[in-house]
Amino acid sequence: MKKYQQKSLLTGVFGLLVFVFGVVVMAGFAGQRLGQQIQADATLLINHVDAADAEREKLLSALHSLNFTQCNDSTLLAMRRALFDATYVIDIGYFKNDKLVCTAGNGLLATPLNDKEPDYIERDGVRVRFAPSFSLILFPERIMQVIIVRQHNYNVIIQPSKIDLHNINTKTWQVFFKSNKTINHLTGTEGVYEKISSAMVLPYESLVVCSQVTPNYCVAVFSPWWEYISKKRMLFLICLTLCVLAGLSAGLLANYYMATKRSTWRRVRRGLHQHSFYWTYQPIINLQTQQVIGCEVLARFKDKFGTLTPDEFIPLIRKHQQTWLFTQAMITTILHELSDAPQLPDEFKVSLNIFPYDVQQGKLSELIHMPSLHESRFSICLEITEDEYLDSSIAHSHLQSLADAGFTLSIDDFGTGYSNLANLQNLSFHQLKIDRTFVQDIATAGLKASMIPNIMELVTKLGYTCVAEGIETQEQEAILKMAGVQYGQGWKYGKPMAIKQFKQFMGKQKSP
């Protein structure tokens, strides 16, 4: 063991020495190329700055030429047409009496908004403000960094992340507006210009360039020598050293990864017996009446080492065939927690996620013989996830017996897995759950969103009820209601809650 440790230590020391030697050798060749790369990156960034400003000038000049005096359908149409071919601009707003009254994305605002003070004022009175945490009115949950530019009655929202960075090699750069007294950060890494100006960098590592087209707009680019040299393979010794280091690093990472995997499984296995799993409850809403008619039970994990996400522990439970033990623990816990909740009415719908593997193995038939479950005052819905194949010829009798015993059977995450028309027709399902990806696609009018009417046609034909997951906005809810979806769940109505918070939530629902 000592000999192995000595060899490992010697290998590490030798690799470090060779690496240092390679860095010294490469430094002699890197200066000229480093300067060329920084110059090219600075030029690309300046070109983007000029292009964004030219786009803003073109859009707003065209809109101003129309001489609109109020925001109406014609104004909104012109703004949206201007926005259609934009690269950097993501929204346009119209001001009247110094108040924002409408935007291309949101339309006419119910309450006009006051304009905020700019960070600086450009030529011709153009007002510019940097917003590090901004959200469009239409998508309040999406936080982004933007630059807001106002000229007369219009403003534009420019998103710096629209800059194409594929041809920029340097990771550390800053775009800023430079006036006589101040430096206004716009995008990139804040503080790069100050770092370069303070003479804390080596020669050839940095460059500051200002636009010749858009006055006072500049970029600062900083590329450390070591970062540049590490990308080159000019000498055999350097290549050999990088390969050795890469091999050692890969071995260490692989060993760490495997150790982490084993450690995670030990935590999960221990948690199955030591009550490290707990369950949260997310309300299910009748979309027509807006009343809470049930909840979905969702698993969570926490032990003394911290938390694990379902994406971490569910695959391990499946891999080690502990699904039924997990399901039993879930049922025992949630029935105990919910039975002591007078806030919940009789026939309150409780949806439990069930593993297809347990259906195939006939384990679910044991649920019929669980008095606490079968005699529960709640309506128990068993949701079969689509992410594993379910053989209908094997599952039919098991599911039929559950249906005969009064359980509601649901296909979870429909449209993302193995479900097909044969399964829908041959198995004893009562409900279909539209996956959240279909709902989220509504906002962008994507392909999945266009499939919802077809899904609802199938639901009607089979006599199922339908629940839509992942509803977050009023717009999504309205579209789903129009499509005929009866029930919904998502953050719009409530996040998954621990039992205490869920009882409080339900208590408020019953309050006058």
Side-chain angles (χ1 to χ4, degrees):
M1 187 66 178
K2 289 184 178 181
K3 184 177 181 181
Y4 174 78
Q5 291 176 336
Q6 290 174 353
K7 287 184 177 180
S8 299
L9 180 60
L10 289 174
T11 301
V13 172
F14 175 75
L16 180 60
L17 290 175
V18 176
F19 176 74
V20 172
F21 173 74
V23 170
V24 173
V25 172
M26 183 175 281
F29 300 92
Q32 183 179 4
R33 292 293 183 88
L34 179 58
Q36 292 173 349
Q37 174 185 296
I38 290 177
Q39 179 65 56
D41 291 342
T43 301
L44 282 172
L45 289 167
I46 283 292
N47 289 341
H48 278 298
V49 171
D50 292 340
D53 188 69
E55 179 177 281
R56 185 269 307 171
E57 180 70 26
K58 178 181 177 182
L59 294 181
L60 295 188
S61 295
L63 289 171
H64 283 127
S65 67
L66 299 175
N67 296 320
F68 289 118
T69 59
Q70 61 181 349
C71 187
N72 53 29
D73 290 342
S74 298
T75 310
L76 290 171
L77 179 60
M79 290 163 60
R80 288 163 181 165
R81 283 177 173 173
L83 191 63
F84 185 78
D85 293 324
T87 300
Y88 304 94
V89 176
I90 62 172
D91 204 359
I92 302 175
Y94 178 81
F95 285 81
K96 186 173 183 180
N97 298 327
D98 214 32
K99 291 182 179 291
L100 181 66
V101 296
C102 66
T103 69
N106 197 67
L108 193 65
L109 302 184
T111 303
L113 302 177
N114 292 321
D115 194 15
K116 295 184 178 180
E117 287 297 318
D119 293 330
Y120 59 91
I121 300 177
E122 279 189 34
R123 65 195 186 283
D124 301 328
V126 175
R127 299 154 61 91
V128 182
R129 178 166 61 90
F130 173 64
S133 299
F134 180 85
S135 62
L136 295 175
I137 298 174
L138 192 59
F139 302 108
E141 72 282 357
R142 294 173 58 181
I143 306 301
M144 62 188 82
Q145 288 190 353
V146 300
I147 301 168
I148 304 173
V149 183
R150 181 179 171 187
Q151 185 176 3
H152 303 308
N153 292 337
Y154 294 90
N155 75 353
V156 295
I157 308 298
I158 298 175
Q159 190 174 8
S161 62
K162 295 293 184 180
I163 295 177
D164 183 5
L165 302 179
H166 289 93
N167 296 322
I168 298 176
N169 296 297
T170 306
K171 297 179 180 179
T172 308
W173 51 268
Q174 180 184 19
V175 177
F176 59 94
F177 181 86
K178 183 179 180 182
S179 62
N180 293 331
K181 298 181 179 180
T182 60
I183 299 296
N184 296 100
H185 172 76
L186 295 176
T187 186
T189 304
E190 190 169 2
V192 174
Y193 175 73
E194 286 81 359
K195 181 175 182 179
I196 293 174
S197 302
S198 64
M200 296 174 59
V201 297
L202 297 174
Y204 308 108
E205 287 186 327
S206 63
L207 182 66
V208 177
V209 177
C210 293
S211 172
Q212 300 299 313
V213 178
T214 312
N216 300 106
Y217 282 93
C218 306
V219 299
V221 182
F222 173 62
S223 180
W225 276 59
W226 65 266
E227 182 179 294
Y228 181 76
I229 293 174
S230 67
K231 298 178 182 178
K232 303 299 179 179
R233 298 180 177 88
M234 294 183 177
L235 298 172
F236 173 77
L237 287 177
I238 296 176
C239 292
L240 179 62
T241 301
L242 290 176
C243 289
V244 171
L245 290 175
L248 290 174
S249 299
L252 291 173
L253 288 173
N255 182 67
Y256 175 77
Y257 175 75
M258 294 303 296
T260 302
K261 287 274 289 185
R262 292 193 297 270
S263 175
T264 301
W265 166 237
R266 285 198 298 269
R267 290 174 61 188
V268 171
R269 182 176 58 185
R270 189 165 52 244
L272 287 170
H273 301 281
Q274 297 182 357
H275 308 293
S276 297
F277 286 94
Y278 66 98
W279 281 266
T280 59
Y281 305 86
Q282 186 172 31
I284 300 174
I285 306 295
N286 184 313
L287 296 183
Q288 298 300 326
T289 65
Q290 295 295 302
Q291 296 298 310
V292 181
I293 55 91
C295 66
E296 180 180 3
V297 179
L298 299 169
R300 298 294 184 263
F301 180 96
K302 184 176 183 179
D303 62 8
K304 62 181 179 180
F305 301 107
T307 61
L308 294 175
T309 66
D311 288 341
E312 291 176 294
F313 62 73
I314 292 295
L316 292 175
I317 291 173
R318 283 178 172 151
K319 178 181 178 181
H320 295 277
Q321 298 182 358
Q322 298 296 304
T323 54
W324 184 239
L325 180 62
F326 175 85
T327 299
Q328 288 177 308
M330 172 182 64
I331 292 173
T332 301
T333 302
I334 65 106
L335 286 179
H336 174 72
E337 291 181 343
L338 294 178
S339 62
D340 189 29
Q343 301 90 338
L344 305 182
D346 291 345
E347 299 302 317
F348 187 76
K349 189 173 185 178
V350 179
S351 294
L352 311 176
N353 289 292
I354 302 299
F355 294 93
Y357 176 80
D358 291 334
V359 178
Q360 300 278 99
Q361 299 299 313
K363 292 290 188 181
L364 287 190
S365 298
E366 297 182 22
L367 297 179
I368 301 173
H369 306 293
M370 287 187 180
S372 59
L373 184 64
H374 189 58
E375 299 172 5
S376 171
R377 65 187 179 92
F378 303 117
S379 174
I380 305 300
C381 177
L382 305 177
E383 297 187 4
I384 315 297
T385 58
E386 275 206 294
D387 51 2
E388 292 181 31
Y389 175 71
L390 188 64
D391 189 330
S392 60
S393 61
I394 297 176
H396 176 75
S397 61
H398 300 309
L399 294 177
Q400 185 62 52
S401 63
L402 290 169
D404 293 341
F407 293 99
T408 301
L409 303 181
S410 173
I411 299 178
D412 195 15
D413 299 334
F414 181 77
T416 62
Y418 292 95
S419 282
N420 53 51
L421 186 58
N423 276 352
L424 294 178
Q425 292 176 325
N426 298 333
L427 299 179
S428 305
F429 289 109
H430 307 89
Q431 176 179 281
L432 181 149
K433 244 187 172 182
I434 299 176
D435 184 66
R436 67 181 62 250
T437 56
F438 288 80
V439 176
Q440 292 170 351
D441 216 24
I442 287 175
T444 58
L447 176 62
K448 286 189 174 182
S450 67
M451 295 173 63
I452 290 179
N454 302 99
I455 294 175
M456 292 309 301
E457 182 179 350
L458 183 63
V459 166
T460 302
K461 180 179 178 180
L462 296 173
Y464 289 2
T465 58
C466 184
V467 180
E469 295 183 295
I471 301 176
E472 297 179 0
T473 67
Q474 191 71 31
E475 178 190 13
Q476 293 170 345
E477 181 189 70
I479 294 174
L480 291 168
K481 286 172 65 175
M482 186 176 300
V485 178
Q486 299 101 323
Y487 306 106
Q489 68 182 91
W491 285 15
K492 182 181 185 302
Y493 313 109
K495 296 182 180 181
M497 295 168 264
I499 184 61
K500 181 178 179 180
Q501 287 71 34
F502 185 64
K503 289 179 180 179
Q504 293 173 350
F505 173 84
M506 289 302 301
K508 293 178 181 178
Q509 301 300 308
K510 297 183 69 174
S511 298

